[in-house]
Amino acid sequence: FATDRGALFFFILFPFLFITLFSFINIGATEDTKLKLYIVSEEAEGGLSYQIIDALESAGDWEIIVMDYEEAYQAVENKEISGFEAYQAADDKKISGFIAFPADFTEGIMTGAGTELEVVTEAEAMDDRAALYGLSQTIASRVGAQYVIAKATIELLIEQGIIAPDDTAAIEQVIQPILAGQGASGQSFIEYRTEKVGEVKEESNSNWVIPGYLVMFVFFGAAIGAETIVRERQNRTLERLLASSVRQEAILGGIFTGTAAKGLIQILLFWVVGILAFNLDLGPSPAAVIVLSILTVIMSAAFAIMLATLVKTQRSAGSIAVLASLVLAPLGGCWWPLFILPQWMQALAKITPHGWATTGFNKLMLFGADFGAVVPEMLALVGFAVLFSAIAVWRFRTSAVE
């Protein structure tokens, strides 16, 4: 193996080509960005809703994006919409929700007839829905409170003879600034508090890219090793070993040890290069990362022996090894973090050893878990290794003849 340049390239350099590529792709980088609020006003320009929107925009701690109702609604549904690129929200043609002021908003408040704010959100956008409901309730309660103040002010001015009861223009001139919360200070009646609880640390993509590809290529390399076992069975090398008084257990142990040794070389290089070249952070429990890596190697070596006992030809061993690796890798979260996927896909990943391994690495290296938190993942990998080994022992044969 050490003198085979093709094998060394595939086992060592080829995986790092993937790691280098995906580590430098800015996938979901953590940023401390402003909160975006999408607002719709269906009333004419100059209405009370626009004064409220202006007051919100002047705050500066969030980004207010004003949209047309139909386009905003379709953006929540993620439909293609004409002219959407003209909006600031055109980044992804997708928003999670918005607040809508109705066409009769100002009239309803001025006349005391009442009005409603509409909140439209995705069904699964729980956080955004809570934020939009909170803002809409704040607007409603403050407008209601300001309306009471405005009515009392109007009655006082009428009582003192400053304005006439039928002087609509004068009444509106008094009531509208009060409703908009624009007093002498010019401050908005929308109050809020921001609290900074620490710096947002941007996570390195390598912290999930390298563990994912480690699991994939260690498993891939071991599975491809099944071809060697089948070839030795076909050319009767295993039969000759038995004829020379070598026990079957020794043959299995030797094959397993050789396969595991190559896997250990791989993970050692993965972690050393990852730490030195990619600034990899093993988290607060490096020992757990090492144990999880070794268990991944043991599981992969057991799978290779099992696969060799289940197929008849070298070609079928290679084909099934490639197929199994390429199916289990994405399903188990080697190509993307499982925690960003829907719950049903996270549950489906649990039927694969890759899913348990990548979940354990993510817990340790992304979420700062300790050793005890990944014991279930370690036990799952042990279980897969025992299952694969049991099948391998049961099905193992040294002859190519059934």
Side-chain angles (χ1 to χ4, degrees):
F1 171 75
T3 58
D4 186 343
R5 294 181 181 179
L8 289 175
F9 173 80
F10 180 80
F11 271 71
I12 298 172
L13 296 181
F14 187 67
F16 280 107
L17 294 178
F18 278 81
I19 292 171
T20 302
L21 173 64
F22 287 101
S23 291
F24 289 100
I25 294 178
N26 191 19
I27 303 175
T30 306
E31 296 179 358
D32 197 3
T33 56
K34 286 185 178 181
L35 174 66
K36 285 186 177 181
L37 296 175
Y38 299 90
I39 298 181
V40 169
S41 178
E42 297 184 275
E43 63 176 351
E45 190 80 33
L48 180 60
S49 63
Y50 285 94
Q51 297 183 41
I52 294 174
I53 292 172
D54 290 340
L56 289 171
E57 287 180 326
S58 65
D61 285 337
W62 43 41
E63 183 179 354
I64 303 298
I65 300 174
V66 182
M67 302 181 67
D68 174 78
Y69 185 92
E70 193 62 31
E71 290 181 318
Y73 194 89
Q74 292 182 49
V76 172
E77 293 187 329
N78 199 21
K79 294 179 179 177
E80 292 294 332
I81 40 184
S82 59
F84 187 76
E85 287 76 7
Y87 288 99
Q88 298 180 53
D91 308 62
D92 50 9
K93 300 184 180 181
K94 176 72 175 176
I95 66 175
S96 56
F98 63 90
I99 296 175
F101 290 89
D104 63 348
F105 183 76
T106 301
E107 180 184 353
I109 292 177
M110 292 292 189
T111 61
T115 185
E116 292 182 346
L117 291 175
E118 182 181 5
V119 176
V120 179
T121 65
E122 282 185 306
E124 297 181 357
M126 304 297 291
D127 293 341
D128 298 276
R129 182 164 55 201
L132 292 173
Y133 268 122
L135 178 61
S136 63
Q137 288 169 358
T138 298
I139 293 173
S141 63
R142 291 308 176 95
V143 167
Q146 297 296 98
Y147 177 77
V148 173
I149 296 173
K151 291 292 289 184
T153 302
I154 295 298
E155 291 176 5
L156 180 62
L157 293 175
I158 293 174
E159 184 180 326
Q160 293 180 354
I162 298 176
I163 60 174
D166 57 349
D167 191 349
T168 306
I171 292 174
E172 288 185 357
Q173 189 175 1
V174 172
I175 196 172
Q176 195 153 339
I178 296 176
L179 287 173
Q182 297 172 342
S185 63
Q187 291 183 335
S188 170
F189 65 87
I190 303 296
E191 295 179 357
Y192 63 92
R193 184 183 72 220
T194 60
E195 181 180 355
K196 189 171 184 179
V197 294
E199 297 294 336
V200 176
K201 180 184 176 183
E202 184 174 349
E203 290 289 347
S204 171
N205 290 333
S206 302
N207 285 356
W208 68 264
V209 170
I210 290 181
Y213 281 107
L214 179 147
V215 174
M216 173 183 171
F217 280 104
V218 167
F219 186 88
F220 200 0
I224 290 294
E227 287 186 286
T228 303
I229 304 172
V230 176
R231 183 173 65 248
E232 291 187 349
R233 188 176 67 227
Q234 288 182 316
N235 63 22
R236 301 187 180 278
T237 300
L238 298 182
E239 284 189 81
R240 289 195 292 271
L241 285 173
L242 283 177
S244 62
S245 302
V246 177
R247 292 188 302 173
Q248 180 173 308
E249 294 81 1
I251 295 175
L252 279 171
I255 295 171
F256 175 84
T257 304
T259 305
K262 290 186 287 187
L264 290 174
I265 293 172
Q266 276 185 302
I267 64 168
L268 178 63
L269 291 171
F270 265 86
W271 293 134
V272 170
V273 176
I275 293 171
L276 297 180
F278 295 92
N279 196 27
L280 193 67
D281 183 5
L282 297 183
S285 184
V289 174
I290 294 172
V291 172
L292 199 62
S293 302
I294 294 173
L295 291 177
T296 300
V297 170
I298 293 173
M299 176 276 300
S300 302
F303 177 85
I305 300 175
M306 180 195 72
L307 177 60
T309 63
L310 296 177
V311 298
K312 295 181 179 180
T313 65
Q314 183 179 346
R315 178 175 295 180
S316 62
S319 301
I320 296 175
V322 172
L323 179 63
S325 299
L326 294 180
V327 170
L328 296 178
L331 191 61
C334 295
W335 295 0
W336 39 69
L338 283 176
F339 53 82
I340 69 172
L341 300 180
Q343 287 296 326
W344 68 270
M345 289 193 68
Q346 296 184 37
L348 187 62
K350 296 298 184 182
I351 67 173
T352 71
H354 300 58
W356 290 96
T358 54
T359 299
F361 285 124
N362 288 338
K363 282 183 178 181
L364 294 168
M365 300 173 64
L366 296 180
F367 303 115
D370 57 16
F371 197 104
V374 294
V375 169
E377 284 74 19
M378 293 178 180
L379 293 177
L381 290 177
V382 171
F384 277 107
V386 170
L387 175 63
F388 296 154
S389 299
I391 296 174
V393 171
W394 171 53
R395 290 281 300 175
F396 183 76
R397 61 187 186 277
T398 58
S399 174
V401 181
E402 292 290 343

